[in-house]
Amino acid sequence: MQARAGGRTDRQLRPLRIAPVPNKFAAGSVLIELGDTRVNCTASVDEGVPFFLRNSSPAQGWLTAEYAMLPASTPNRARRERNFLSGRTQEIQRLIGRSLRAVTDLSKCPDLTITIDCDVLLADGGTRTASITGAYVALRLAVTQLLRRGRLKQDPLHDAVAAVSVGVRGERLLCDLDYREDSGIDLDMNVVMTPSGGIVEIQGTAERAAFRKEQLNAIVDLAADGLQPVFVAQREAVERALA
Amino acid sequence: MQARAGGRTDRQLRPLRIAPVPNKFAAGSVLIELGDTRVNCTASVDEGVPFFLRNSSPAQGWLTAEYAMLPASTPNRARRERNFLSGRTQEIQRLIGRSLRAVTDLSKCPDLTITIDCDVLLADGGTRTASITGAYVALRLAVTQLLRRGRLKQDPLHDAVAAVSVGVRGERLLCDLDYREDSGIDLDMNVVMTPSGGIVEIQGTAERAAFRKEQLNAIVDLAADGLQPVFVAQREAVERALA
Amino acid sequence: MQARAGGRTDRQLRPLRIAPVPNKFAAGSVLIELGDTRVNCTASVDEGVPFFLRNSSPAQGWLTAEYAMLPASTPNRARRERNFLSGRTQEIQRLIGRSLRAVTDLSKCPDLTITIDCDVLLADGGTRTASITGAYVALRLAVTQLLRRGRLKQDPLHDAVAAVSVGVRGERLLCDLDYREDSGIDLDMNVVMTPSGGIVEIQGTAERAAFRKEQLNAIVDLAADGLQPVFVAQREAVERALA
Amino acid sequence: MQARAGGRTDRQLRPLRIAPVPNKFAAGSVLIELGDTRVNCTASVDEGVPFFLRNSSPAQGWLTAEYAMLPASTPNRARRERNFLSGRTQEIQRLIGRSLRAVTDLSKCPDLTITIDCDVLLADGGTRTASITGAYVALRLAVTQLLRRGRLKQDPLHDAVAAVSVGVRGERLLCDLDYREDSGIDLDMNVVMTPSGGIVEIQGTAERAAFRKEQLNAIVDLAADGLQPVFVAQREAVERALA
Amino acid sequence: MQARAGGRTDRQLRPLRIAPVPNKFAAGSVLIELGDTRVNCTASVDEGVPFFLRNSSPAQGWLTAEYAMLPASTPNRARRERNFLSGRTQEIQRLIGRSLRAVTDLSKCPDLTITIDCDVLLADGGTRTASITGAYVALRLAVTQLLRRGRLKQDPLHDAVAAVSVGVRGERLLCDLDYREDSGIDLDMNVVMTPSGGIVEIQGTAERAAFRKEQLNAIVDLAADGLQPVFVAQREAVERALA
Amino acid sequence: MQARAGGRTDRQLRPLRIAPVPNKFAAGSVLIELGDTRVNCTASVDEGVPFFLRNSSPAQGWLTAEYAMLPASTPNRARRERNFLSGRTQEIQRLIGRSLRAVTDLSKCPDLTITIDCDVLLADGGTRTASITGAYVALRLAVTQLLRRGRLKQDPLHDAVAAVSVGVRGERLLCDLDYREDSGIDLDMNVVMTPSGGIVEIQGTAERAAFRKEQLNAIVDLAADGLQPVFVAQREAVERALA
């Protein structure tokens, strides 16, 4: 049985670090590192809402996300998406937005638009899960700042959220795949969860053969376990930034 | 407890009809009707493969999908996506393509590109699941024609595939949501399966609150049950078309 | 002298069928079949007018058309026009719009926008003439519905309109060219007319050599003759749909 | 009965001037002035043909046209078409290209692409007809230069071509409408002809009511008459430029 | 030492001609010819300002420029920039706009937008400098007309502006490079100045080796000298047009 | 006289820091901080050259640059340039590319394309000058790696290059403007130089009134002085990265 890079077990994530980044313009700004994967996550706050929410009653806020890869983040320089967005990019940024909105009560941030930007500095697998995990911290920091400044009256965030990938290769279940592991996998599943084990989003695609319900259950259990230290890291990053 | 339109039970799909459509240019062409939802699915075959598969060894074929909604398919006329593709459209057509490729051995259709087009004539909920179900039949017809003409030596399709949505509203699990049901739902899950209960793709998003593993299992079971008559309808449509 | 496919005479159209299509969202919806050519025509009604008609006095309505070919409608799969519109597409949809506006009094449908969508399911020649013929029926159905609902006070349609192509090959004049006939032609003319023989639009292009006024006259006479059964089919389709 | 601007009769064109413009890069280059309307027409010659003509047998050349309006050519500054082409622009440039190809034998200019550019400096009605008339002169000059340099062996142009508009207002037929006349017209027809009265293209659209075959004939006769001095002006311009 | 085309000295510009062009729609319209380079410059005036100046206090006007090359203006036909603007085009039109705004007090033309269009008919080097020089004359004519009509109360133009290129080749300084000279140059500098020798914009790029401050000074002196007859030509063109 | 932020003199730059950033995919990768301005600069190397350099003799390499601002880098979130590039972006990335090519002998890196990406993490003025300064270091690191790996035989870099802005406000000359200073300035000049005082590019625009040659000279002197510590910082960053 092949060992994993860095000597980690099948159930272990790569080393995780979530660090606040000084940014005098963004309400929340963090750098998340998951192994070699590195994503810059910021939360920007603008007054007003998009046209489709204007005149909604009661007043609503809006929360959306954008995702991009810097050109030098991949083995061969990636072209910037300057003329159109690939399906992959759109799918990922929609996923980030939905995951965050699932823990946010938009009626508690009326007339505000919060935009989360996830810019991948280095892509070694797991950029979408790291983005969600880091995005939550940036959002949490921005919301806390808005509460402290009195711009928000109530906390719109009713839970935390984080994500991890789980892969199946033959009989093995592998937590948090890196880029090299990702290529030889039978099934790659992304699980977005809350600290209490609630599932916010689950996406699994069989690459080679269909998978069975028993595998699905084992995957969800592994994701829930693997995310425990991630939720701790999120809380510590928030505390450090607000200290 | 509110009854469902058409008097169906929570575990029942809407009336399903898959009919071959005469098309002298497309290798496979069907109209799928699921309740009021109506999707035209065709399979076109072109010699050659995209540049990223040229010179691959052994030679590969390619299978991809496109999805679009006709303007009059929605309550308010939908704008044609003539300048860019929305994230929703890209996400759906990527899902259709992945689902079909999961049951296709591309090394058995070397130097061929098969394109599945799903054009929604009327959208009353479930357009992506109906598209997958109808697309498989169009693909099956096209492949059979290629085998009969001797252009393919081996059958690249090793299984069938179909999809259904399952929604959670409070304590109820509802199979195959229509448009009206879809709007008030807590959780909407799309499940793509094979006839033997294998899961090809699963996508679930909590709209309001996270969901639990037990619900996930009940959903998968319901999807598997609900898809049984769908696989029968697929087989009958293929037989009718080839008769 | 070469016989025409289906044994029709030079002055005969291909078999024509105009069938209402159930569509709970579109005010008018028909499928027109002209030989193997098949076009889905719908009329959608939206409140309001484009900005260039706002504040016009007296208040005006607007009527426009869009045209597209489904990918599997042609011998080799046609690419969807998702990034830009070809000149051909724009020319055809402008022609359809002008032809319909010629029989419509826009001051009698104030503050309404009617959009006709013509989607070609199969293209075997004559898609633009079939589109005009089918579009008129969809428009007629939508307008009648608006009158019945009381949303319109007066009927804005003061005449019917339909179209047919006439080709010249050597000494022969051929009515309603199919795709194969179209390729070897010297002159291809599209004539849009009213039941009483009025000409709404005429477009003729010499492919090989200029043509003479005498030919022009013979073409117009043939078009007027050929369109008589078409106007009957339009009336019958309207009656059937409203029955 | 209202007199026409400049005192011309109903059957007269506006003053016409076709002047060669020095251009050391373009093979043919003329400025055409028709009343206040002013169009710069150039013919550029490039070696090679577009991909769809490569490997055609016998070898073919290609001839195409582009049309644009300078921003200051209209009463209110027109936006440059920098992101997409309007349907009107595409329709006009397709018309110019077809009209020229009708008098050109492309097999006599193998492996050459000739591009005609028509740039409107001032638009006072009739820009498309002036463009065709001027474009032919630019093309004639370019082809003669290619023949003289020995790059062409045979003259691919077998005829001349020019165009004029004819309008119907009530009982009057008006030749060569200016911008002000164009707005109040019942029927506007563009006729593209050869010197011997052959019709190359005819396009007529009823703006208000359908028109009848008798009117069509009168229009064609008027166009043929009106174009006689235009063909003379074309010949003189060519002679002057080549002198 | 190689002589320059046309026998001019290193310090001389090419023959310059600025001629008013009749245009009943544009407030100012001139053709500038600098050697073989030929640019059509127009000034269009529209009521209103772009959204970012609305509600500015005190009220402001706006002045902007667009630049384009006609396809036949270059040795090989240039493609029209119909889908996107090249960096070169954007850079040039921004330069023209800035140069003109430097001599314009926008608070003296409140609620007006003046757009300068520079369309290159023939490009033989120096199109950007000729554009600035011609654009100023078009602007001056438009502003004078607005003053005479009473639409402006005060003259917003407080100075004239013109531009010239200076090149360095080895030890030589060459004023106003033509296309052929431009290609073999070590340093190409564009200098935009006022009649009294004020510098409005200076742009210099070392093509091969860095240049020194002493060269910079000699270049500025040469530009100031070379522009003297240009300012005279501008004044004469304005007088001629307003006579 | 108003003091500058951070207590620096008129002739001093803001604190500068150039730090290598670990990136296993990019040949050179640095973060440059100039006061609060922060830019990520990477150099990516690809085999091959763009089509316009293929078959050039002797073989050439290519060096180009791209520039972008992350959304959260500005006071109000900046929109990503996903559909088109603004003129400002194109102008800056062309400037970066030209500045680097001025010190690079492209014939010494045959068949290689080096792309420099400058992504602004925080924009507090001077992003284009910081980009050039940081880009040179990334380029130097990439080239050294290529030399060490033997992929390059000769060093194509014959000099260093860095940039600084100088502003004029009334009588004062201010080195390295921050964002707040930039807005109230009379003249803003960007100077790109080599360590020995050679000028590679100079760009100055009078915002309010033209400037004089004497000011130009004082600006160039100040830039040369101000850049001395910058060249030292570049050298130290290279040494540190290669240690």
Side-chain angles (χ1 to χ4, degrees), chain E residues 11 41 53-54 69 77 82 84 105 113 144 147-149 172 180 185 193 199-200 215:
Chain E
R11 302 184 69 86
C41 302
L53 285 178
R54 282 174 211 152
M69 299 176 83
R77 182 177 180 277
R82 282 181 156 170
F84 69 103
D105 184 345
T113 294
T144 300
L147 287 164
R148 289 185 176 178
R149 282 174 32 210
R172 290 170 75 183
R180 211 169 43 81
I185 217 73
M193 297 185 97
I199 305 169
V200 164
Q215 289 174 300

Side-chain angles (χ1 to χ4, degrees), chain A residues 21-26 29 36 38 40 42-44 46 66-68 70-77 79-85 89 93 115-119 121-124 179, chain F residues 21-26 29 36 38 40 42-44 46 66-68 70-77 79-85 89 93 115-119 121-124 179:
Chain A
V21 171
N23 183 324
K24 65 183 180 187
F25 302 135
S29 172
D36 282 342
R38 212 156 64 228
N40 195 61
T42 55
S44 299
D46 290 291
E66 294 194 359
Y67 169 95
L70 265 60
S73 66
T74 55
N76 297 302
R77 182 178 179 275
R79 294 174 74 90
R80 293 175 190 273
E81 296 187 307
R82 282 181 156 170
N83 293 313
F84 69 104
L85 291 190
T89 293
Q93 61 189 23
T115 308
I116 307 295
D117 287 286
C118 299
D119 286 87
L121 302 178
L122 208 133
D124 191 35
Y179 181 77
Chain F
V21 171
N23 182 324
K24 64 184 180 187
F25 301 135
S29 172
D36 282 342
R38 212 157 65 227
N40 196 60
T42 55
S44 299
D46 290 290
E66 295 194 359
Y67 169 95
L70 264 60
S73 66
T74 56
N76 297 302
R77 182 177 179 275
R79 294 174 74 89
R80 293 174 190 272
E81 296 188 306
R82 283 181 155 170
N83 294 311
F84 69 104
L85 291 190
T89 294
Q93 61 189 24
T115 308
I116 306 296
D117 287 286
C118 298
D119 286 87
L121 301 178
L122 208 134
D124 190 35
Y179 181 77

Side-chain angles (χ1 to χ4, degrees), chain E residues 86-113:
Chain E
S86 69
R88 178 184 176 275
T89 294
Q90 295 213 44
E91 208 168 302
I92 294 176
Q93 61 189 24
R94 282 161 57 90
L95 168 65
I96 300 169
R98 279 198 311 269
S99 297
L100 297 173
R101 284 194 297 271
V103 297
T104 307
D105 184 345
L106 293 173
S107 69
K108 290 185 180 158
C109 39
D111 297 318
L112 277 186
T113 294

Side-chain angles (χ1 to χ4, degrees), chain C residues 3-9 12 15 178 180:
Chain C
R4 304 186 77 188
R8 59 178 168 139
T9 70
Q12 262 183 321
D178 66 24
R180 210 169 45 81

